Amino acid sequence: MTTAVAGTAVRAPGAARARRRSAVIGWAFLAPLLVLNLVVVLGPSIATVYYSLTDWSGLGPAEFIGLENYTKAFTDPDVHQALLHNVIWFVLFGSVPMAMGLLGAYLLSQVRRFQVLFRALYFIPYVVASVVNAAVWKMLLSPTSGIGHQFGIDHSWLGDTATSLFSVNFVVDWHFWGFLAVIFLAAMQGIDPQLYDAASVDGAGRWQQFLSVTLPGIRPTMIFVILMTVIWTLKAFDYIFIMTQGGPAGSSEVVSTLMYKQAFNEYSAGYAAALGLSMTAITAVILAVYQYLRKKGWEDE
Amino acid sequence: MTTTVIDPATTTRTSDPSSASPRRSRRRGSGGGAGAYIVLIALALFAIGPLVAVVFNAFKNNAEIGTNPLAPPTSLSLDNFTEAWTRGDFATTMRNSAIICLGAVLGTCLIAGLAAYALSHLQVPGSGIVVGYLFLGSALPVQLFLVPLFFLWTQLHLVDNLFGLIVIYWATDAPFATLLLRSFLLKIPKDYTEAARLDGASDLQIARRVVLPLAWPGFLTVALIVALWSWNEFFWAITFIHDPKLRPVATSFLAFQDQHSTDWGMTSAAAIFMLGPVVLLFLVLQRRFVSGLTAGGLK
C-alpha cells in the first residue's frame, strides 16, 4: 500500500497524496472497530439468516428446511401468546413511565430548589443493576415478606398467572421512569420562557400551559422516546428472565424470552434464529416508518 | 447491552441535560411551591423507597423481616454481610468483575478512540456510511446474532472465558463509545492537528499527544459508562459464563439469590455489595453519568 501511495505522489500534487495517505490511515484506525463488529455482530447476524432456514440444534450440523421455521412460528400458539404479551407490554411501558416522567420533569422544571437532588434520586434506579432491582422487588412483592404482607395481602404477585406480566412490567416502569424524567427535563429547559409568560398573560392555567407550551416544546424528544419505546419493548428481556423466566405457565413470556428458551433450553436454534430475525424485521419496519414520517415533516411542523 | 443511538438529529437535542443548568429554570409566580414539592417528594420516595428497604433489611434477621418487612432495623447487626460475602464468594466474583470492567474500559476506549479520531480528524472516504452503520447497527436486537455468536464462541473456546466476554463488550459498547467520542473530538479544531502534522508528527503521535489530552472528558465519560454497563451486565454474562469461579458479580448474585431465595436478610446484604459502589460513584459523578447515559445510553 505504501508503494502505491509513493507511486501516485510522483504524478499527483501533494494534496492528493495527503488525502490518499489520510484515507489509508483512517481505515487503519477504523479497522479494529469494524473487524470486531464483523466478527461479533454482523457476521453472526448474517449467519442467522441462513440458520433460520435450517433445522439446527445449535451445536451439530444444520439441515436446510426452507421456510418451515417461519410457517411454524406463524401457527405456534406460544408465539401468538408471546406477541400478545409484547403488545400489552408496549401499551404499559409506553404510557406509565412516560406519564410519570412527564409529571416529574414538569414539576421539576417549575421549582428552583433541590432540583439536582430530586433528579439524582429519580435517576438512581436506572443505574442499579437489573439483577439487583429484580431481587429488591422479588422481596417487596413476596407474599411472606413484602409490601402486601405488611398490609395483610399475602398475594404472590409474580407467581400468579393473572398478575405476573403486570408485576414485572411495573418493576421495569419503576426503574425506568426517572431516566425519562431526566431526558424530558433537559428538553423542557430548552423551551423559551417567554412562551410561558405569553401563555399566562393570555390567562392559561398551569395545565393549559403544559398542554399548549410544554408538550409542543418537547415534541421531537417525545417522538424519539416513543420510537425507542417500541424498540425497547421488542428487546424486553432482562427483568422477565430474572423475575419469572416467562412463567408461570407462559403468563409473562415475550418473544425474546421465548426465543432464548428455544435456543438454549429446547436446542431449537434454527427456530430461535427465525424468531430473532422476525423480531429484527419488525424493528426495521418500525424504523423505516419512523424515517418516512420524519421525512414527510411529521416531526418538525 | 446493545446500545441504541438512532438519530443524531433528535438525540443531540436531548444529549446533554447536565449542561443545561438547573439554575436556568424558569421563575414561577406564586402557587408553584408546596403542591409541587409534595408530588416531587412522593415520586422520590417511590424511586428510592425500595432501595432503602433493602438497606434496612440487610441489617435485620429473617424473623424481624417477616414481622416487619419495611421498617428500619432495631439493631445494627453485620452478620448478613459477613455471611453473604463468604457464601456468595464475593471475593472471587468481585475480582472477576474488576477484570471484566477494566478490560472492557481499556479496550473500548482504545478501539473507539482510534475510530472516533478517524471519523473526526481524518478524511476517510465512506466515513458517513460508517457513522450511519454505527447508529443503525446499535438498534439491532441481540437476538439477531446471539445464537450464531454462541456457536462461534464455542468453536473458539471463548465460552467460559473472561476474555471472550470482554471481546463481546468491546463489540457491543464500541459503537456508542465511538459516536460519543466523535462528538467530543469534533470540537477540537483541525488547526491543532494540522499544525502538529506539519511539524512532522505521525497520526498516532497526534492522537496521543494532541487529541487525547484535549478529549479526556469524553474518555472519562465513556470509561464510566462502560464500567457501569460491564458491572451491571447480565445477559451476555449469563449466556457465556457458566463456571461459578468465573462469574462476574451480576450473575453470581442472581445464582446466590436463587439459592437463598427466602433468606431476604442475606440477599439484601449481597445486593448492597453490588449496588453500593455504583450508587456512591453515581452520587459523586452525577453530571457525567447523566450526560453519558442520556447521550448514547438510550439502550
Side-chain angles (χ1 to χ4, degrees):
Chain A
M1 198 55 96
T2 41
T3 50
V5 174
T8 53
V10 181
R11 277 167 281 132
R17 178 171 174 256
R19 213 180 307 128
R20 190 83 178 261
R21 185 179 153 274
S22 182
V24 172
I25 294 174
W27 283 107
F29 276 39
L30 284 171
L33 175 73
L34 297 178
V35 169
L36 203 58
N37 193 273
L38 181 73
V39 172
V40 176
V41 179
L42 196 59
S45 295
I46 293 166
T48 292
V49 178
Y50 168 70
Y51 284 127
S52 75
L53 303 172
T54 66
D55 181 13
W56 183 44
S57 71
L59 290 171
E63 187 198 341
F64 189 83
I65 54 168
L67 293 174
E68 215 170 285
N69 285 324
Y70 291 95
T71 50
K72 184 181 165 196
F74 266 106
T75 53
D76 189 340
D78 288 348
V79 173
H80 295 170
Q81 191 192 30
L83 270 175
L84 175 68
H85 292 157
N86 272 107
V87 172
I88 296 172
W89 189 274
F90 172 70
V91 171
L92 293 169
F93 184 59
S95 56
V96 177
M98 184 86 98
M100 291 186 68
L102 281 173
L103 175 69
Y106 185 58
L107 291 176
L108 271 185
S109 73
Q110 305 280 304
V111 301
R112 265 166 290 163
R113 304 189 63 190
F114 304 116
Q115 203 183 38
V116 176
L117 175 70
F118 280 118
R119 201 183 67 171
L121 293 178
Y122 296 170
F123 205 77
I124 282 177
Y126 182 73
V127 297
V128 173
S130 53
V131 282
V132 173
N133 282 337
V136 169
W137 279 101
K138 264 188 173 175
M139 178 174 82
L140 293 173
L141 294 172
S142 125
T144 53
S145 61
I147 301 172
H149 181 69
Q150 180 93 350
F151 298 105
I153 308 163
D154 291 351
H155 181 75
S156 178
W157 300 97
L158 294 165
D160 185 334
T161 52
T163 52
S164 60
L165 184 69
F166 296 98
S167 303
V168 181
N169 187 270
F170 167 80
V171 176
V172 172
D173 294 348
W174 166 80
H175 108 285
F176 191 70
W177 73 270
F179 175 68
L180 290 187
V182 169
I183 287 185
F184 289 144
L185 177 63
M188 286 178 193
Q189 283 168 338
I191 298 174
D192 185 355
Q194 287 180 340
L195 292 174
Y196 286 100
D197 296 338
S200 89
V201 166
D202 288 347
R206 180 175 285 198
W207 175 242
Q208 279 171 314
Q209 286 185 23
F210 176 75
L211 289 181
S212 59
V213 179
T214 311
L215 279 186
I218 62 167
R219 190 182 152 99
T221 308
M222 290 271 293
I223 290 173
F224 181 68
V225 166
I226 291 168
L227 169 78
M228 294 307 300
T229 303
V230 183
I231 293 172
W232 286 320
T233 296
L234 285 166
K235 286 183 170 184
F237 180 87
D238 284 26
Y239 283 85
I240 298 168
F241 188 79
I242 297 167
M243 297 184 80
T244 65
Q245 308 216 311
S251 60
S252 58
E253 198 89 85
V254 292
V255 179
S256 63
T257 56
L258 185 69
M259 181 251 159
Y260 193 88
K261 281 184 190 168
Q262 288 294 333
F264 293 105
N265 300 353
E266 311 284 331
Y267 299 103
S268 309
Y271 189 46
L275 290 177
L277 198 64
S278 306
M279 285 171 64
T280 311
I282 297 173
T283 309
V285 168
I286 292 162
L287 283 177
V289 170
Y290 172 78
Q291 281 299 337
Y292 175 74
L293 291 174
R294 226 167 70 87
K295 284 228 170 81
K296 287 195 73 175
W298 168 46
E299 192 175 15
D300 316 285
E301 266 174 16
Chain B
M1 183 49 73
T2 312
T3 55
T4 309
V5 197
I6 291 203
D7 191 329
T10 46
T11 40
T12 45
R13 298 191 210 187
T14 63
S15 69
D16 198 357
S18 58
S19 71
S21 163
R23 262 164 266 116
R24 234 184 59 206
S25 68
R26 196 163 39 82
R27 281 168 52 91
R28 282 267 331 162
S30 56
Y37 278 111
I38 289 169
V39 180
L40 287 172
I41 290 168
L43 287 173
L45 287 176
F46 177 64
I48 293 303
L51 300 176
V52 174
V54 170
V55 176
F56 287 167
N57 283 351
F59 293 100
K60 298 184 208 165
N61 62 40
N62 285 312
E64 199 182 342
I65 294 174
T67 52
N68 225 343
L70 305 175
T74 48
S75 65
L76 285 182
S77 159
L78 292 177
D79 293 351
N80 288 328
F81 290 96
T82 51
E83 195 153 342
W85 183 270
T86 45
R87 281 218 223 166
D89 202 7
F90 272 88
T92 307
T93 61
M94 288 253 183
R95 200 200 60 213
N96 292 338
S97 272
I99 294 170
I100 292 168
C101 284
L102 199 67
V105 165
L106 293 178
T108 306
C109 280
L110 181 68
I111 294 159
L114 288 173
Y117 177 73
L119 293 175
S120 58
H121 285 265
L122 296 173
Q123 287 177 322
V124 187
S127 64
I129 297 170
V130 174
V131 172
Y133 175 73
L134 293 180
F135 273 113
L136 208 65
S138 48
L140 294 177
V142 294
Q143 280 78 14
L144 180 63
F145 53 93
L146 171 69
V147 179
L149 178 65
F150 187 81
F151 184 61
L152 178 65
W153 251 224
T154 310
Q155 305 287 310
L156 297 172
H157 302 288
L158 287 173
V159 174
D160 265 335
N161 181 325
L162 291 186
F163 178 71
L165 186 64
I166 291 171
V167 172
I168 296 176
Y169 289 169
W170 288 346
T172 52
D173 294 356
F176 145 79
T178 304
L179 293 171
L180 190 75
L181 285 176
R182 179 173 166 266
S183 70
F184 274 88
L185 296 188
L186 283 173
K187 290 181 206 148
I188 299 174
K190 283 209 170 126
D191 301 354
Y192 288 24
T193 50
E194 286 306 319
R197 192 165 291 134
L198 287 177
D199 286 346
S202 75
D203 277 290
L204 267 180
Q205 283 171 323
I206 295 171
R208 221 178 63 223
R209 302 245 172 86
V210 181
V211 175
L212 193 60
L214 289 169
W216 71 266
F219 280 96
L220 187 58
T221 304
V222 166
L224 271 180
I225 305 302
V226 172
L228 175 73
W229 284 347
S230 309
W231 179 267
N232 285 351
E233 208 284 325
F234 141 83
F235 177 76
W236 295 114
I238 203 166
T239 309
F240 284 79
I241 304 280
H242 305 124
D243 182 351
K245 283 281 159 209
L246 291 174
R247 278 184 193 143
V249 273
T251 54
S252 162
F253 172 80
L254 188 64
F256 178 81
Q257 200 230 345
D258 280 343
Q259 254 171 39
H260 307 93
S261 58
T262 50
D263 196 335
W264 296 115
M266 205 161 65
T267 43
S268 295
I272 305 278
F273 291 142
M274 234 204 116
L275 72 83
V278 170
V279 172
L280 286 180
L281 201 61
F282 170 74
L283 290 176
V284 175
L285 297 165
Q286 199 213 128
R287 274 164 200 280
R288 202 164 286 285
F289 268 108
V290 169
S291 71
L293 284 172
T294 50
L298 292 165
K299 72 183 181 102

